[in-house]
Amino acid sequence: MPVMHRNVRYNCRVIFLNKKILLIRPKISLANSGNYRELRWFTPWSKARHVEEYFLPRIIQEVTGQESVPFGDAVLATKDTCLGTEICEELWAPNSPHIEMGLDGVEIFTNSSGSHHVLRKAHARVDLVNSATAKNGGIYILANQKGCDGDRLYYDGCAMISMNGETVAQGSQFSLDDVEVLVATLDLEDVRSYRAEISSRNLAASKVNPYPRVKVNFALSCPDDLAVPTCMPIQWRHHSPEEEISLGPACWLWDYLRRSKQAGFLLPLSGGIDSSATACIVYSMCHQVCLAVKNGNADVLADARRIVNDGTYIPEDPREFCKRVLTTCYMASENSSQDTCNRAKLLAEQIGSYHISLNIDAAVTVVVKIFSVVTGRTPKFFVYGGSSRESLALQNVQARIRMVLAYLFAQLTLWARGMPGGLLVLGTANVDESLRGYLTKYDCSSADINPIGGISKTDLKSFIQYCIENFQLTALRSIMSAPPTAELEPLVDGQVAQTDEADMGMTYAELSIYGKLRKIGKAGPYSMFCKLIDIWKEIFTPREVASKVKHFFRMYSVNRHKMTTLTPSYHAENYSPEDNRFDLRPFLYNISWSWQFRCIDKQVSKLEKKEGISVAEDVD
């Protein structure tokens, strides 16, 4: 919690016992990268092993009966052990406080953490906690925040207790329960005997600078506990990435829905992988709600009743609950195939959503007619003799009209059905399409929230397969086998001719690699080229790699402005291009990348000369 001490605001952990504050411990290492900007609000405590007197506000004095309490970097000494504390980011720091505290005799470390969920991240958190006690011995107790932070992050719980390098208790990673208490019975003598055998640790401990100790008249153990069994080490059970997608965004959606006081979601369901994956996540949310109610969660039951406006309702069947909270809408045009219409309808039936089918051609015709009346010109699709500019503009009209209709139906569908409330519009652009800019500004990618905006196409395909096997949604089989398409260009002989990967000029698998190298690897065009000629040496020549890298960076820079209006999305990947909070970069680039591309061309020429290949002037 924020605490002002001598006119400086610190982020603090307040430790109390029996209505008495024992210690106010200010945070030493602040999170100030990626999704976090703690230095904007707080100052880190820089006085190691130093304690000052903090005078409590009068309102707190009346509760605790204390005038002042210790404030600073100290540990607690009870009658039978010594406890230290870390706060969130300090566990991840290279000089974590638990190292020096452990050497100074602290046997129990506690951490009140706010660590958000990212796909495949849980193992890193578990490894950090276990390694904290593996080299130095001790007991580590990690408590992590749960739920949506009112923004793009979801905190996934995953509390744990570790002793001497092994996990002894594991909390749930995804749950709709607001509070979960994790307990373990452990023997402090096991910590002492473990440490006594580590000679290098004992040599370092003999020279350590001691921490100030706050004496606490309390014992964690009792004299007659000899017969109490202790907890044994367990094997940590990790969720697969597909399970994480099924559970994490589902919990985030539920938190957002109940806190926003809306009556459900509206999803433009196109019959493709992205919108279908979003529908499956909502369906998974319905499963989680029914399970929580079955397990006696009164808060979830109360929220569900308020959302559906029925004080006696009990959600028991996920399909029935889904029909109450999810409206799906297929918006056909003359460029839509019957296949995608059938796929969307069948999936809606299997998950139980309230489904609407409509045609947007009349609205598109009117909008284009207005342009023709004003300018005297009528744009045509490329296949009908129009220019690429005309064709793109006609595609964008369709996409943007779908966004307008999505919000209209979100506001008035329940009204038309004689029901109260409005719906949140769900977006369906994945992280790879956002990175490439393969979306229309203010189309159906513009929504209230997007549960898949931080998830790659590759992971979404795996998630779809997971839903086929675990939710028995057989409609997804045909969706999986169909090539991804926007269906914005005219059909050829009644069949879809447009595909996403052909439009983008790159595959989704390649996009994921570009994204990780750009954000996580901090690679610009030349650095990315240098890395990829080795990664792709078995499948592409250096000239082909150069062409691919150039094309990606041209498209990335041309479309970067779209990130400024990107729908708030569930943060699930560390290569997200989201501009509001995580990936803060310019949105106006010099798209020619002249110096970088020249460096690539020179390197290609050198490599081809070395291989005895005739050299072209440049690489496109």
Side-chain angles (χ1 to χ4, degrees):
M1 64 178 293
V3 178
M4 291 284 287
H5 177 58
R6 299 181 182 177
N7 299 326
V8 179
R9 187 192 301 110
Y10 297 99
N11 191 5
C12 299
R13 186 174 184 188
V14 179
I15 305 170
F16 56 90
L17 174 67
N18 297 332
K19 294 187 177 181
K20 301 291 183 182
I21 295 176
L22 304 177
L23 172 68
I24 299 178
R25 164 49 160 85
K27 194 171 182 180
I28 297 169
S29 299
L30 300 184
N32 206 59
S33 61
N35 288 292
Y36 300 102
R37 300 289 181 275
E38 274 194 285
L39 283 172
R40 178 183 293 179
W41 311 108
F42 301 107
T43 300
W45 181 256
S46 58
K47 303 172 184 178
R49 298 173 177 80
H50 178 75
V51 174
E52 297 174 354
E53 188 176 20
Y54 176 79
F55 289 91
L56 295 169
R58 289 174 183 170
I59 189 173
I60 304 297
Q61 290 182 25
E62 293 173 0
V63 175
T64 67
Q66 299 167 283
E67 181 182 18
S68 64
V69 296
F71 184 103
D73 185 20
V75 297
L76 304 177
T78 67
K79 291 182 177 181
D80 51 358
T81 188
C82 188
L83 296 90
T85 185
E86 289 186 322
I87 305 175
C88 195
E89 177 74 9
E90 293 169 358
L91 171 64
W92 302 77
N95 58 339
S96 295
H98 69 256
I99 300 171
E100 293 290 306
M101 286 192 292
L103 293 174
D104 191 33
V106 173
E107 295 175 330
I108 301 175
F109 312 98
T110 62
N111 189 323
S112 52
S113 182
S115 177
H116 65 278
H117 172 244
V118 171
L119 290 175
R120 304 173 179 87
K121 173 186 173 182
H123 74 89
R125 192 189 298 149
V126 173
D127 290 347
L128 278 172
V129 171
N130 284 334
S131 66
T133 60
K135 290 194 294 184
N136 204 3
I139 298 168
Y140 204 107
I141 303 171
L142 175 76
N144 191 37
Q145 186 178 338
K146 299 177 70 172
C148 167
D149 69 341
D151 206 316
R152 294 159 173 81
L153 304 184
Y154 176 75
Y155 295 91
D156 56 338
C158 215
M160 66 176 293
I161 301 173
S162 170
M163 183 174 76
N164 297 340
E166 295 183 296
T167 304
V168 293
Q170 174 184 355
S172 60
Q173 186 174 6
F174 304 102
S175 170
L176 299 186
D177 296 332
D178 287 335
V179 177
E180 180 183 21
V181 178
L182 195 64
V183 297
T185 302
L186 302 172
D187 191 345
L188 290 169
E189 293 301 326
D190 289 339
V191 173
R192 292 157 188 164
S193 60
Y194 183 90
R195 286 179 169 178
E197 293 300 311
I198 307 175
S199 177
S200 58
R201 181 255 168 208
N202 297 334
L203 288 171
S206 66
K207 298 177 284 186
V208 73
N209 186 17
Y211 278 79
R213 277 165 163 73
V214 177
K215 294 183 179 180
V216 182
N217 187 24
F218 184 81
L220 275 71
S221 59
C222 56
D224 58 349
D225 61 0
L226 294 178
V228 177
T230 58
C231 296
M232 301 302 293
I234 62 172
Q235 186 68 37
W236 187 275
R237 197 273 181 186
H238 288 285
H239 289 289
S240 68
E242 295 77 25
E243 289 174 322
E244 291 185 84
I245 295 171
S246 177
L247 296 171
C251 292
W252 181 76
L253 281 180
W254 175 250
D255 225 6
Y256 200 102
L257 177 60
R258 69 185 183 89
R259 291 168 61 180
S260 66
K261 310 296 184 185
Q262 298 301 299
F265 302 110
L266 182 132
L267 170 64
L269 185 61
S270 69
I273 284 179
D274 294 337
S275 62
S276 298
T278 302
C280 291
I281 289 171
V282 177
Y283 185 58
S284 175
M285 180 200 80
C286 296
H287 269 271
Q288 298 308 306
V289 169
C290 292
L291 180 62
V293 170
K294 182 180 178 181
N295 292 335
N297 190 319
D299 292 332
V300 171
L301 176 59
D303 287 330
R305 286 174 170 173
R306 178 182 50 78
I307 289 167
V308 303
N309 194 41
D310 185 346
T312 62
Y313 176 67
I314 299 177
E316 296 175 323
D317 179 9
R319 290 186 75 254
E320 188 275 334
F321 184 54
C322 190
K323 192 173 191 67
R324 291 175 178 255
V325 299
L326 177 62
T327 298
T328 51
C329 183
Y330 181 80
M331 304 185 206
S333 75
E334 63 182 1
N335 302 319
S336 303
S337 67
Q338 189 60 44
D339 288 340
T340 54
C341 178
N342 293 339
R343 292 184 206 122
K345 182 180 179 181
L346 182 57
L347 179 60
E349 290 175 355
Q350 292 186 358
I351 66 175
S353 66
Y354 181 84
H355 189 62
I356 300 169
S357 290
L358 57 88
N359 192 288
I360 68 170
D361 285 336
V364 173
T365 300
V366 169
V367 171
V368 175
K369 184 67 175 177
I370 292 172
F371 177 84
S372 299
V373 169
V374 172
T375 65
R377 302 286 299 276
T378 300
K380 298 178 182 179
F381 281 104
F382 188 78
V383 296
Y384 298 146
S387 64
S388 58
R389 281 198 297 173
E390 295 171 69
S391 188
L392 184 59
L394 290 173
Q395 292 181 62
N396 288 343
V397 168
Q398 300 168 69
R400 291 183 174 122
I401 283 176
R402 287 187 171 116
M403 184 273 289
V404 173
L405 289 173
Y407 272 97
L408 175 63
F409 277 82
Q411 287 183 286
L412 294 180
T413 293
L414 296 184
W415 167 79
R417 296 167 62 189
M419 301 165 64
L423 304 174
L424 295 166
V425 179
L426 295 179
T428 60
N430 63 62
V431 70
D432 296 326
E433 289 171 348
S434 297
L435 174 67
R436 161 63 171 76
Y438 186 64
L439 50 90
T440 299
K441 210 172 185 178
Y442 304 117
D443 68 347
C444 276
S445 65
S446 296
D448 292 314
I449 51 175
N450 180 359
I452 68 164
I455 304 174
S456 71
K457 193 78 162 190
T458 301
D459 282 337
L460 287 175
K461 288 181 178 179
S462 299
F463 170 63
I464 290 290
Q465 184 61 43
Y466 170 88
C467 292
I468 294 172
E469 297 169 1
N470 290 271
F471 295 146
Q472 289 75 51
L473 300 176
T474 55
L476 295 172
R477 291 198 179 104
S478 60
I479 293 171
M480 271 280 287
S481 60
T485 174
E487 288 197 332
L488 295 172
E489 294 184 3
L491 302 176
V492 176
D493 297 327
Q495 299 297 315
V496 174
Q498 179 185 26
T499 63
D500 290 351
E501 292 186 336
D503 277 358
M504 292 190 298
M506 59 193 75
T507 67
Y508 282 106
E510 290 169 353
L511 259 176
S512 291
I513 295 173
Y514 297 146
K516 290 171 183 175
L517 289 175
R518 179 201 70 96
K519 177 63 178 174
I520 301 173
K522 306 296 187 294
Y526 181 74
S527 297
M528 186 178 292
F529 166 76
C530 292
K531 292 177 183 297
L532 286 177
I533 56 174
D534 181 62
I535 295 172
W536 286 345
K537 62 184 176 183
E538 301 297 330
I539 52 177
F540 297 120
T541 66
R543 182 168 292 272
E544 290 171 328
V545 172
S547 178
K548 286 178 175 291
V549 169
K550 288 182 176 184
H551 180 60
F552 166 72
F553 272 98
R554 286 193 193 102
M555 294 301 100
Y556 162 74
S557 53
V558 164
N559 291 294
R560 180 67 196 185
H561 66 95
K562 296 178 182 178
M563 298 306 96
T564 63
T565 60
L566 202 63
T567 295
S569 303
Y570 182 94
H571 181 84
E573 282 284 3
N574 281 329
Y575 70 91
S576 169
E578 179 263 304
D579 181 71
N580 177 269
R581 177 172 175 176
F582 181 69
D583 189 34
L584 304 180
R585 298 183 185 227
F587 55 85
L588 180 62
Y589 279 94
N590 180 351
I591 66 170
S592 65
W593 300 90
S594 53
W595 185 80
Q596 293 91 335
F597 286 2
R598 281 200 304 270
C599 291
I600 292 175
D601 291 341
K602 289 179 181 178
Q603 192 59 242
V604 169
S605 298
K606 288 180 181 179
L607 290 170
E608 290 181 337
K609 284 181 180 178
K610 186 177 180 181
E611 296 295 326
I613 301 172
S614 59
V615 180
E617 290 186 0
D618 59 12
V619 180
D620 196 8

